[in-house]
Amino acid sequence: MASKPHEGLPTGQGEWRMRRHVARAAWGVALAVALAGCGGSPREAANDGGGSAATTVSPVKNADGKKVVRFSFPVAESGFDPQTAHDLYSSTVIDGIFDTVLTYDYLARPSKLVPRLLTEMPTIEDEGKLYTLKLKHGQYFAPNEAFGGKKRELTAADIAYTFKRNYDDSIKPEWRFLIAGKIVGLDDWYERSKKTGKLDWDQPVAGLEIVDPYTLKIRLTKTDYNFGYVLAHVGNGVVAREAIEKYPNDAQSHPVGSGPYYLKEWVRGQRMVLEKNPNWQGGKWNFKVSGKDPYDEVIVKEMSGKPIAVIDRVEIYVIEEEQSRWLAFRNQQLDLINIPSSFIKQALPGGKLAPDLAAQGMRLQQALDPEYTYTYFQWRDPVWGGPELHKIALRRAAAYGLNRDEEIEVIRKGTAKRAEFIIPEGVAGHQANYKSPISYNPALANALLDRFGYKKGADGFRMTPDGKPLVFKYTSTPTALEREFDELYRKNMEAIGIRY
């Protein structure tokens, strides 16, 4: 069996995190809110493994007079090409550099799509098969030599090119599946290009009709009222063809977008510095109180009517070790942090901000992150995968054998909430009264394994029905947090007679 490390659990484990990370699709907004939340400069904290937020006030301006926010990533980034980046941390940076057609209301719960590049939400016609996009005028890409020293306005053609670029096999696009088979003529355009050995970027696609520089009609192959979420996905951050062609096969190192920031400096795996895009028009902060979080009122009061991106520079440092991140925060080398799991009890005794931290001006904020984590089984694995009844029983037994309550209390230090329904809280469609049929029940797990032929040997470990050793193989990463998961899973599996 192979599983995705700690992105989740069969029950859909919810996590507590600060609101800043909930609004990844409005990254510039998130940074602006962080500044206003302190009335000057933030020192915020949330939990990497499920946690809380704490903030403190400190001078926000550097010696050069610029407003700066510094924070860390627990793992290294991979690059900043929207169509190829596959990890959370790279995507977080990408969302600050590139604009998507739509984004999310920062405060709305359940989540709500709002325009980002558009004057209004798309007009949807023909039973959800025709989307008409009306772009704002005067939205420019960040200055770059790819544009020959001229200001380059973003147009409908750039959005069409971005969709096409998801079919460029040479870059190994990550997000093609989001649009594959959905846009009229796009797959046919790709197949024709494959025959000639070269993508014809100038050939029109029927489903991407450029009416004028500020109007794009997207015609879908079938009804899809959820296509707006594709338009908001960071993987469809709009790129400029000139910039892509200026840096062939290395767009990830030279991101050129129309978002609030541009990449000023990048030392791979160590440091990223973003500065405000001088061409970015942005907009005013006009989000409304959701009623789900009392702190929303503070944010709205501080930010209403102000520019969305008020931070001049963002500095991001890769600090993998939990202790190093925490010490950097305590020594005022970072302005916001995800509280490392090993320091949650110290920072939040009894679930409240420690007195010494409060005395330093830190503020605690907790919010339920609208996401779920999960563990999945490798369907093609000869032992764990497949539709046979005994294999279904095996997977069900493993799910019954994993102790989520212990995970929440011990690993996540009580800063997580059991997710019962596959759609998380805060997302439209969530059913608050639903109860998952899977719960921690090692006795039932053992009974299932016994009944379906997974007998124990002399050493106490089980064999497969055909007499081979039964082993639970779990893929994880070499971090302190993952080692805790490894130990928990080992204990849980061995308790029902499965080798780990």
Side-chain angles (χ1 to χ4, degrees):
M1 172 199 152
S3 61
K4 194 169 187 177
H6 161 63
E7 288 228 332
L9 314 163
T11 53
Q13 177 61 52
E15 295 185 10
W16 288 93
R17 297 193 178 188
M18 74 175 173
R19 186 180 300 283
R20 311 302 179 263
H21 293 283
V22 173
R24 293 186 190 102
W27 194 60
V29 175
L31 293 178
V33 172
L35 175 67
C38 299
S41 170
R43 184 167 307 281
E44 303 188 26
N47 177 19
D48 279 325
S52 313
T55 63
T56 185
V57 180
S58 62
V60 68
K61 289 188 177 181
N62 271 17
D64 58 7
K66 292 186 175 181
K67 298 176 181 178
V68 180
V69 164
R70 305 161 298 171
F71 62 97
S72 65
F73 284 165
V75 297
E77 74 296 338
S78 62
F80 311 115
D81 183 339
Q83 280 74 62
T84 65
H86 55 80
D87 61 286
L88 168 64
Y89 300 101
S90 297
S91 296
T92 301
V93 175
I94 287 170
D95 199 49
I97 297 175
F98 294 88
D99 279 322
T100 48
V101 172
L102 301 179
T103 186
Y104 291 88
D105 184 309
Y106 180 64
L107 298 178
R109 300 293 180 270
S111 56
K112 174 186 175 184
L113 290 171
V114 293
R116 183 163 176 174
L117 286 173
L118 307 184
T119 59
E120 59 186 5
M121 290 296 289
T123 300
I124 305 175
E125 303 172 282
D126 192 16
E127 298 182 332
K129 291 187 287 188
L130 178 62
Y131 283 66
T132 300
L133 315 182
K134 293 285 188 178
L135 275 71
K136 300 174 186 175
H137 292 230
Q139 299 176 112
Y140 294 91
F141 287 96
N144 191 274
E145 58 184 17
F147 306 130
K150 300 179 181 179
K151 288 185 71 174
R152 168 65 158 78
E153 188 175 17
L154 186 149
T155 68
D158 296 309
I159 300 174
Y161 172 75
T162 297
F163 279 121
K164 288 181 175 180
R165 190 165 180 263
N166 281 287
Y167 285 78
D168 185 352
D169 292 331
S170 69
I171 65 171
K172 297 181 180 178
E174 184 73 20
W175 305 106
R176 184 189 302 175
F177 73 92
L178 291 174
I179 58 173
K182 292 186 177 182
I183 298 176
V184 172
L186 187 55
D187 285 52
D188 292 337
W189 168 82
Y190 169 65
E191 293 299 330
R192 288 194 301 271
S193 298
K194 282 175 61 177
K195 293 178 181 178
T196 63
K198 184 179 180 180
L199 293 173
D200 186 353
W201 301 111
D202 297 313
Q203 185 180 43
V205 170
L208 295 170
E209 180 186 354
I210 302 172
V211 179
D212 59 54
Y214 305 103
T215 307
L216 178 68
K217 289 182 177 291
I218 302 177
R219 182 165 291 280
L220 305 180
T221 57
K222 58 184 179 181
T223 297
D224 187 354
Y225 287 102
N226 290 321
F227 192 72
Y229 295 102
V230 175
L231 298 176
H233 194 276
V234 68
N236 286 316
V238 181
V239 298
R241 180 175 173 181
E242 303 98 308
I244 298 300
E245 293 179 348
K246 174 70 175 178
Y247 309 105
N249 303 317
D250 197 23
Q252 65 173 1
S253 301
H254 301 277
V256 182
S258 60
Y261 299 94
Y262 72 94
L263 186 64
K264 175 73 172 180
E265 179 185 348
W266 182 27
V267 180
R268 290 176 183 267
Q270 297 182 40
R271 181 175 68 255
M272 293 142 274
V273 178
L274 289 82
E275 293 202 350
K276 189 182 293 186
N277 173 7
N279 292 338
W280 193 64
Q281 298 301 311
K284 300 296 183 181
W285 215 92
N286 62 356
F287 298 105
K288 307 302 181 183
V289 173
S290 69
K292 304 292 185 180
D293 186 343
Y295 191 68
D296 286 357
E297 295 184 8
V298 178
I299 294 175
V300 170
K301 182 179 179 180
E302 290 284 347
M303 290 305 301
S304 288
K306 294 182 180 179
I308 286 180
V310 297
I311 303 300
D312 296 305
R313 184 164 67 237
V314 180
E315 299 176 3
I316 308 170
Y317 300 90
V318 177
I319 307 177
E320 296 183 351
E321 290 297 323
E322 291 188 348
Q323 184 176 26
S324 298
R325 288 200 303 276
W326 182 243
L327 289 176
F329 176 69
R330 293 299 303 266
N331 292 333
Q332 300 187 20
Q333 296 170 330
L334 298 176
D335 297 304
L336 54 97
I337 187 177
N338 291 336
I339 300 177
S341 60
S342 56
F343 291 93
I344 290 177
K345 294 295 186 182
Q346 173 185 328
L348 307 177
K352 297 182 179 180
L353 189 64
D356 64 313
L357 300 182
Q360 296 175 40
M362 297 185 186
R363 176 179 55 80
L364 173 66
Q365 182 186 0
Q366 290 184 319
L368 187 62
D369 196 353
E371 61 92 38
Y372 62 90
T373 44
Y374 57 90
T375 295
Y376 57 81
F377 295 89
Q378 171 56 263
W379 189 253
R380 295 180 180 177
D381 186 273
V383 175
W384 291 85
E388 296 88 346
L389 190 59
H390 69 282
K391 293 181 178 179
I392 295 174
L394 174 59
R395 296 191 294 269
R396 180 61 61 89
Y400 280 131
L402 292 177
N403 191 338
R404 303 304 173 197
D405 293 331
E406 184 176 354
E407 174 194 333
I408 291 172
E409 181 60 30
V410 176
I411 299 179
R412 301 183 188 273
K413 308 299 188 290
T415 57
K417 182 178 180 180
R418 173 182 286 276
E420 301 288 347
F421 194 61
I422 193 169
I423 299 176
E425 290 186 38
V427 177
H430 174 72
Q431 296 183 17
N433 296 325
Y434 180 86
K435 296 297 181 182
S436 171
I438 301 295
S439 60
Y440 178 55
N441 193 332
L444 182 54
N446 276 306
L448 273 173
L449 294 171
D450 290 340
R451 179 176 178 180
F452 285 90
Y454 295 94
K455 303 300 183 182
K456 290 184 178 179
D459 58 0
F461 288 109
R462 296 184 182 275
M463 310 294 286
T464 62
D466 59 0
K468 298 178 181 178
L470 177 59
V471 180
F472 183 98
K473 298 178 181 178
Y474 178 76
T475 303
S476 62
T477 55
T479 64
L481 181 62
E482 287 298 331
R483 285 194 290 271
E484 291 188 69
F485 274 90
D486 289 341
E487 289 306 312
L488 175 63
Y489 287 3
R490 179 189 302 279
K491 183 176 71 172
N492 288 167
M493 289 300 99
E494 290 183 351
I496 57 175
I498 299 178
R499 294 176 181 82
Y500 183 89

